[in-house]
């Protein structure tokens, strides 16, 4: 009873802190939106509107009211899901974003699978061989992934693997020829092409996905490798490892069953956080690969100065980040026996 | 007499610590590489007019897109400008960015973190909440938003990067402060009547410095990559500035036939950011063996 209540109170406290962070997020995006040099009224009425029209739209947008009233209105809009219209398409911004989101999720999910599949074994390998050449090699390899400008690696990758070697598809999500052949039921091209039974589209999509996902995954693996190594070292240095060896377990058994078993929970939280960080790389890599996802949407709208769209994108990234943080916290609580 | 004796005695103490750190760093090949690259970067920036073989802004339309060699070490770009000389002058921009960002971010992070950690209570709650809000964005996305609002330019890119990179420093300084807030020497200072401000400035911030310096060094790699990313998206340095990210962006159109337009600035960015990562990694081992496996 009392533990239940304590847990409830802790959950309430956490919810309150998330709510405050979200409110702060809104304040931040609101003020960034107000700082912008572009005049939102001009963007709507055009250059040669009469002063009367200008004033009318100015009042319609609520720009003549005090700042706090504008903020309350903005908050009300956001809470009711009204993020304004896109200048370019004339549609609600949120609808455009939901439309491009599956492409990014597809890319980021593949990338995180590659990143974790690369980073976790390398981290364990480095920890087990601490201070030997394998450890140093892994460290340099992962720092390399962490240091490369991903937009540049993307371009070099396209040049080498697409233009010169022809091993992978070029930019975009599929070959030009296949665009529009598969009905977009879910927005996830791999799923849609399978649902439609079009193997050639599926293969083309995989061909196009593999390079950007591998590069994103490599850059994400740097952090995963480093954290895995550090978690593993913490475990390997503890006395129960020696006890297990003395009891007659093999080295492999102690490493994988005992040490690795104990860090699984921590790894889940790290991978969840890395997934959020992938969004950053996605903005750049999507620009290079003409990937019609969230990142390209953001940069395209930056170029034409559609602040409604840009600020909504920024807000969404912030919310995704906060939710992932919360998720990793909850996962940690649920699965870690010590926090019970 | 005592003045003369004490002042040279103090200076070598500080200097010998620095020499010890340097000696430690040079023993590991990776951090030695990092140090070497950074030394080359600083020298290049300082001596740019003597190192550059051509005027970085001089166009020569009869001599565009020349491959490396033939009088131009790294070839020429789409306007016939010498890429090597542009890279050399670009080193100045890179150094300016990391210097300005560090000078702004270090003190802000230290003061916010140390204050939150030492004063505690509602001050801690408020400051850390603000920090969390800034941490809720990946740094590139938030910088993008700030630059979009301020208008694209190198100066605004620097402001935007600084605005987004102080929170991790503040977090770190707070964590450090918490560990020795209850230490005896702090209590002694308080009993002697030192004000909180004096304690924070004189007793707490010096203790946080080593880990903050490590973090700043590691941050520089991120700063360089973010700045290059902003330059690539056209939101940082504007043409004809020879900023490396912007050079990649303009070279992109000619990439298939003239790979050197993109390859050379990219290698420069990669080398410098790798160097700072390796150096930060080495510093972490040198300054604080306790933290070797942490953070």
């Amino acid at each position: 009873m009392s533990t239940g209540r304590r847990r409830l109170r802790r959950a309430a406290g956490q919810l309150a802190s998330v709510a405050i962070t979200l409110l702060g997020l809104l304040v931040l995006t609101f003020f960034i939106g107000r700082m912008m040099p572009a005049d939102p009224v001009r963007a709507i009425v055009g250059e040669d509107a009469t002063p009367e029209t200008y004033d009318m739209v100015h009042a319609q947008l609520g720009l003549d009211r005090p700042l706090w009233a504008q903020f309350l209105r903005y908050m009300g809009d956001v809470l009711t899901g009204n993020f304004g219209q896109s200048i370019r398409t004339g549609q609600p911004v949120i609808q455009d974003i939901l439309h491009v989101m599956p492409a990014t999720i597809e890319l980021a999910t593949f990338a995180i699978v590659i990143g974790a599949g690369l980073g976790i074994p390398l981290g364990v390998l480095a920890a087990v061989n601490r201070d030997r050449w394998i450890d140093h090699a892994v460290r340099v390899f992962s720092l390399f992934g962490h240091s490369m400008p991903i937009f540049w690696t993307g371009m070099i990758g396209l040049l080498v693997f697409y233009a010169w070697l022809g091993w992978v598809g070029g930019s975009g999500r599929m070959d030009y020829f296949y665009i529009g052949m598969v009905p977009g039921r879910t927005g996830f091209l791999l799923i849609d092409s399978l649902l439609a039974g079009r193997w050639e589209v599926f293969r083309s999509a995989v061909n196009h996905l593999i390079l950007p996902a591998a590069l994103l995954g490599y850059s994400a693996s740097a952090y995963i490798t480093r954290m895995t190594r550090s978690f593993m070292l913490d475990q390997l240095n503890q006395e129960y490892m020696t006890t297990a060896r003395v009891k007659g377990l093999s080295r492999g058994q102690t490493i994988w069953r005992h040490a690795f078993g104990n860090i699984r929970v921590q790894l889940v939280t790290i991978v969840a956080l890395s997934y959020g960080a992938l969004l950053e790389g996605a903005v750049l890599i999507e620009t290079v690969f003409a990937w019609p996802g969230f990142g390209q949407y953001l940069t395209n709208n930056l170029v034409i100065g559609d602040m409604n769209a840009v600020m909504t994108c920024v807000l969404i990234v912030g919310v995704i980040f906060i939710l992932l943080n919360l998720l990793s916290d909850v996962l940690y609580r649920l699965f870690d026996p010590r926090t019970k | 007499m005592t003045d003369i004796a004490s002042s040279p005695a103090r200076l070598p103490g500080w200097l010998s610590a620095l020499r010890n750190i340097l000696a430690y760093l040079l023993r590991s090949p990776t951090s030695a590489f990092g140090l070497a690259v950074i030394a080359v970067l600083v020298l290049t920036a300082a001596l740019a007019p003597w190192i550059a073989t051509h005027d970085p802004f001089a166009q020569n339309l009869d001599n565009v897109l020349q491959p490396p060699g033939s009088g131009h070490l790294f070839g020429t770009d789409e306007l016939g400008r010498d890429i090597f000389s542009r890279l050399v002058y670009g080193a100045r921009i890179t150094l300016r960015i990391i210097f300005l960002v560090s000078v702004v971010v270090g003190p802000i992070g230290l003061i916010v973190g140390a204050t939150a950690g030492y004063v505690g209570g509602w001050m801690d709650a408020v400051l850390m909440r603000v920090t969390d809000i800034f941490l809720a964005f990946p740094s590139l996305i938030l910088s993008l938003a700030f630059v979009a609002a301020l208008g694209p330019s190198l100066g605004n890119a620097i402001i935007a990067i600084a605005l987004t990179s102080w929170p991790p420093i503040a977090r770190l300084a707070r964590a450090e402060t918490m560990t020795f807030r209850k230490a005896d020497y702090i209590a002694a200072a308080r009993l002697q009547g030192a004000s909180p401000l004096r304690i924070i400035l004189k007793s707490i911030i010096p203790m946080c410095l080593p880990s903050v310096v490590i973090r700043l060094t590691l941050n520089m790699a991120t700063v360089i990559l973010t700045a290059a990313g902003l330059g690539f998206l056209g939101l940082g340095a504007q043409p004809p500035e020879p900023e490396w990210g912007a050079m990649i962006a303009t070279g992109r159109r000619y990439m298939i036939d003239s790979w050197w337009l993109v390859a050379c600035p990219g290698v420069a960015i990669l080398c410098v950011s790798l160097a700072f990562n390796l150096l930060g990694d080495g510093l972490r081992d040198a300054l604080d063996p306790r933290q070797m496996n942490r953070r």
Side-chain angles (χ1 to χ4, degrees):
Chain A
M1 178 68 197
S2 79
T3 51
R5 190 177 292 171
R6 203 182 306 145
R7 203 178 284 174
L8 207 68
R9 188 179 297 165
R10 192 193 271 167
Q14 198 160 31
L15 271 184
S17 98
V18 167
I20 295 175
T21 313
L22 281 174
L23 186 69
L25 213 67
L26 279 181
V27 174
L28 199 62
T29 49
F30 174 75
F31 278 104
I32 295 176
R34 293 305 117 156
M35 267 190 328
M36 62 187 174
D39 184 349
V41 181
R42 271 281 165 247
I44 293 173
V45 299
E47 284 305 321
D48 36 40
T50 59
E52 289 79 46
T53 333
Y54 184 94
D55 287 344
M56 203 183 75
V57 175
H58 190 80
Q60 248 173 25
L61 290 177
L63 292 174
D64 51 344
R65 289 196 282 170
L67 213 54
W68 60 268
Q70 286 185 38
F71 177 69
L72 284 183
R73 179 174 168 167
Y74 172 71
M75 201 164 86
D77 278 350
V78 167
L79 288 180
T80 51
N82 174 15
F83 294 90
Q85 314 275 314
S86 157
I87 293 176
R88 200 174 41 163
T89 61
Q91 284 187 346
V93 166
I94 191 73
Q95 203 176 317
D96 284 352
I97 293 181
L98 288 179
H99 185 70
V100 297
M101 217 52 194
T104 299
I105 294 177
E106 207 167 59
L107 179 63
T109 307
F110 262 74
I112 200 68
V113 169
I114 294 173
L118 196 66
I120 293 176
L122 281 181
V124 174
L125 193 70
V128 171
N129 294 291
R130 181 183 189 179
D131 286 335
R132 267 178 261 163
W133 68 268
I134 293 186
D135 185 19
H136 294 301
V138 168
R139 190 166 72 145
V140 171
F141 177 77
S142 78
L143 275 179
F144 214 79
H146 193 56
S147 309
M148 56 187 200
I150 191 147
F151 55 95
W152 177 73
T153 348
M155 287 157 75
I156 298 294
L158 270 179
L159 193 64
V160 173
F161 294 108
Y162 170 63
W164 292 352
L165 297 173
W167 289 356
V168 297
S171 45
R173 288 177 86 185
M174 57 190 133
D175 286 339
Y176 197 67
F177 177 70
Y178 295 121
I179 290 177
M181 270 176 84
V182 171
R185 279 178 222 172
T186 59
F188 296 95
L189 189 59
L190 294 181
I191 298 176
D192 283 344
S193 57
L194 284 184
L195 282 181
R198 306 298 295 255
W199 277 101
E200 70 281 17
V201 181
F202 180 78
R203 199 168 326 124
S204 170
V206 171
N207 252 339
H208 282 255
L209 182 64
I210 200 81
L211 183 59
L215 291 174
L216 260 185
Y218 177 35
S219 78
S221 76
Y223 181 62
I224 298 176
T225 308
R226 160 176 298 214
M227 296 313 280
T228 309
R229 175 181 181 273
S230 140
F231 293 153
M232 277 302 276
L233 282 180
D234 281 351
Q235 296 295 326
L236 294 176
N237 287 338
Q238 282 179 24
E239 285 176 0
Y240 79 87
M241 291 298 294
T242 323
T243 316
R245 289 282 280 150
V246 169
K247 265 169 42 188
L249 290 178
S250 75
R251 191 162 156 74
Q253 274 174 318
T254 55
I255 289 169
W256 287 106
R257 197 176 298 163
H258 285 75
F260 190 73
N262 277 346
I263 68 165
R264 271 180 313 195
V265 180
Q266 287 165 298
L267 285 182
V268 169
T269 67
I270 290 300
V271 171
L273 292 179
S274 302
Y275 194 81
L278 277 181
L279 286 173
E280 183 173 75
V283 169
L284 290 168
I285 208 107
E286 284 183 6
T287 309
V288 172
F289 282 85
W291 194 263
F294 176 80
Q296 207 196 20
Y297 181 79
L298 174 57
T299 46
N300 280 347
N301 280 297
L302 265 176
V303 173
I304 63 168
D306 186 345
M307 287 308 278
N308 257 347
V310 172
M311 291 330 295
T312 308
C313 286
V314 172
L315 195 62
I316 286 177
V317 171
V319 171
I320 291 177
F321 243 56
I322 292 174
L323 291 183
L324 280 172
N325 261 309
L326 189 68
L327 179 76
S328 71
D329 230 47
V330 169
L331 284 177
Y332 200 88
R333 291 255 170 77
L334 279 182
F335 291 112
D336 193 21
R338 277 170 306 181
T339 50
K340 272 188 186 146
Chain B
M1 192 64 185
T2 45
D3 270 333
I4 298 165
S6 70
S7 66
R10 202 180 290 166
L11 193 65
W14 179 81
L15 264 182
S16 76
L18 194 67
R19 208 176 52 205
N20 282 346
I21 294 172
L22 268 181
Y24 185 94
L25 286 177
L26 288 175
R27 238 184 301 160
S28 130
T30 50
S31 32
F33 170 80
L35 266 181
V37 171
I38 292 163
V40 169
L41 177 78
V42 173
L43 283 177
T44 311
L47 305 174
W50 291 277
I51 293 177
T53 49
H54 295 71
D55 178 350
F57 299 105
Q59 303 182 6
N60 180 359
L61 294 179
D62 298 329
N63 201 19
V64 298
L65 299 174
Q66 289 298 311
S70 69
H72 296 278
L73 195 56
F74 293 157
T76 61
D77 67 5
E78 78 283 2
L79 296 172
R81 296 173 295 196
D82 180 59
I83 292 182
F84 174 71
S85 307
R86 287 178 68 71
L87 286 182
V88 166
Y89 276 89
R92 289 188 162 182
I93 299 181
T94 302
L95 269 187
R96 188 158 90 217
I97 294 170
I98 48 185
F99 175 76
L100 287 177
V101 168
S102 305
V103 161
V104 174
V105 160
I108 293 182
L110 266 175
I111 289 172
V112 170
T115 310
Y118 180 71
V119 178
W122 64 267
M123 181 80 108
D124 186 27
V126 170
L127 287 178
M128 281 306 110
R129 195 50 56 202
V130 174
T131 313
D132 279 351
I133 292 165
F134 277 86
L135 277 176
F137 297 100
S139 63
L140 179 74
I141 308 263
L142 190 55
S143 317
L144 269 179
F146 276 120
V147 180
L150 296 168
S153 78
L154 182 59
N156 288 342
I158 293 174
I159 295 174
I161 295 171
L163 275 174
T164 57
S165 47
W166 63 269
I169 308 279
R171 266 271 180 91
L172 176 64
R174 173 176 176 268
E176 292 275 302
T177 308
M178 300 289 257
T179 59
F180 44 72
R181 183 173 61 169
K182 294 270 191 294
D184 288 343
Y185 83 101
I186 304 273
R190 202 181 306 135
L191 285 176
Q192 282 176 343
S195 66
L197 184 69
R198 191 186 158 84
I199 292 177
I200 289 174
L201 287 181
K202 293 267 178 182
S203 310
I204 290 183
I205 285 185
M207 292 295 283
C208 299
L209 265 180
S211 47
V212 166
V213 168
I214 297 169
R215 188 61 206 239
L216 274 178
T217 316
L218 282 170
N219 249 13
M220 284 176 195
T222 318
V223 167
I224 289 168
L225 290 182
T226 309
L230 288 176
F232 173 70
L233 293 174
L235 296 169
Q238 299 296 310
E241 288 287 319
E243 199 268 329
W244 296 342
M247 283 171 73
I248 294 180
T250 45
R252 194 177 161 198
R253 256 169 290 157
Y254 310 92
M255 184 178 74
I256 298 285
D257 300 312
S258 316
W259 52 268
W260 56 93
L261 256 64
V262 163
C264 296
V267 170
I269 298 173
L270 177 62
C271 279
V272 174
S273 94
L274 186 64
F276 276 110
N277 270 329
L278 290 172
L279 180 70
D281 228 44
L283 271 181
R284 178 162 32 198
D285 296 352
L287 289 183
D288 207 341
R290 194 164 42 92
Q291 295 188 333
M292 235 152 86
N293 309 323
R294 294 247 156 241
R295 278 194 279 272

